[in-house]
Amino acid sequence: AVAARFKARTRAEWTEVFEGTDACVAPVLSLGEAPHHPHLAARSTFTDFGGITQPAPAPRFSATPAAVVSGPARPGADTESVARDWDVPGLTGKGS
């Protein structure tokens, strides 16, 4: 019954229903949409490094500012070193 009720309106319609209320409701955004959402943009939640938009460092403290110094890791790029650090040689299939 709850799922059917939510399917009765679009995401935009539900967002409008709750706009300006103190209900803890926010739209679920894609990674392409999130950086452009006014709330996230105002808080600099995302940053750009080398043409790649990615989440900004968090948490952020005034006395210890953080900076992005490289782009995001590529999937699997660090598997061998992680397997070595965790002593899990079978993770890569290459043995020890």
Side-chain angles (χ1 to χ4, degrees):
V2 173
R5 181 71 173 157
F6 275 102
K7 287 181 182 179
R9 296 184 185 200
T10 66
R11 181 181 73 180
E13 290 170 329
W14 281 115
T15 300
E16 187 177 334
V17 166
F18 289 101
E19 189 70 34
T21 70
D22 64 352
C24 187
V25 177
V28 176
L29 304 172
S30 71
L31 287 176
E33 296 170 309
H36 307 289
H37 187 274
H39 180 89
L40 300 174
R43 286 156 183 77
S44 301
T45 304
F46 291 86
T47 189
D48 183 279
F49 185 88
I52 299 173
T53 300
Q54 60 186 350
R60 289 178 269 173
F61 302 106
S62 59
T64 54
V68 176
V69 295
S70 68
R74 299 287 181 216
D78 301 311
T79 303
E80 289 185 42
S81 64
V82 170
R84 207 171 27 259
D85 289 348
W86 291 353
D87 195 25
V88 187
L91 188 64
T92 63
K94 294 184 179 182
S96 45

